[in-house]
Amino acid sequence: MYNTCFWALVDKGGMSPQDAEKRLSGTLSADKNELLFADFGINYNDEPEIFRKGSVLIRGKELVDVPDSQGVVTKRTHGVVLTLHCDIIRDKFWNEHPEILRGKPTRAERRQESRAQRARELAAQDAAPPS
């Protein structure tokens, strides 16, 4: 919220960065909400999440088609970096991504995940129409 107020004061309000910083010094969220709405007609809750919550990068996996030397395509997992624009303070994020706090999985967890992933890959292959 600070950044939204700061740049509104600078870009739309014509303040210098130093004056905008002084204006916002010591303000609470309610003060910033009032400033945005009263001075600039901006409802902070209507701003896109990317501006309200910022960005977080996490490791993820996706299924990709991998052809072998005979041209047979199989599904494999591939590591990717995901950019999320969400609230990482609330429980929803942590419930959806427990692996972040859990740390490195145990050998048994890796084996179990590997078996489950292979089963998903085989199921995806079986469901795919023949080439």
Side-chain angles (χ1 to χ4, degrees):
M1 182 178 298
Y2 178 90
N3 285 338
T4 303
C5 288
F6 178 87
W7 289 110
L9 289 169
V10 172
D11 291 341
K12 296 177 182 177
M15 284 188 171
S16 71
Q18 295 79 13
D19 289 340
E21 188 175 345
K22 284 179 192 171
R23 169 67 178 85
L24 294 173
S25 179
T27 57
L28 302 173
S29 291
D31 302 323
K32 292 180 193 77
N33 267 317
E34 179 62 26
L35 176 128
L36 285 171
F37 192 75
D39 293 2
F40 303 106
I42 297 171
N43 182 337
Y44 186 73
N45 293 322
D46 293 340
E47 292 295 294
E49 226 175 31
I50 186 173
F51 300 117
R52 290 185 290 124
K53 303 299 182 187
S55 303
V56 61
L57 302 176
I58 64 170
R59 290 183 179 147
K61 293 182 181 177
E62 67 180 5
L63 278 176
V64 295
D65 293 333
V66 179
D68 65 11
S69 59
Q70 284 80 33
V72 177
V73 176
T74 58
K75 297 276 187 190
R76 297 280 187 233
T77 57
H78 179 72
V80 294
V81 175
L82 302 172
T83 304
L84 306 176
H85 309 293
C86 59
D87 186 349
I88 66 169
I89 295 172
R90 307 249 185 256
D91 288 339
K92 181 178 184 249
F93 173 82
W94 299 104
N95 291 335
E96 291 174 356
H97 305 284
E99 71 282 358
I100 294 172
L101 291 179
R102 187 173 54 225
K104 187 175 179 181
T106 65
R107 180 176 290 171
E109 289 173 324
R110 286 194 308 266
R111 256 189 261 130
Q112 182 180 6
E113 175 57 30
S114 180
R115 286 186 195 119
Q117 183 58 42
R118 185 65 184 144
R120 287 190 295 270
E121 291 169 358
L122 291 172
Q125 276 182 306
D126 292 342
S131 307

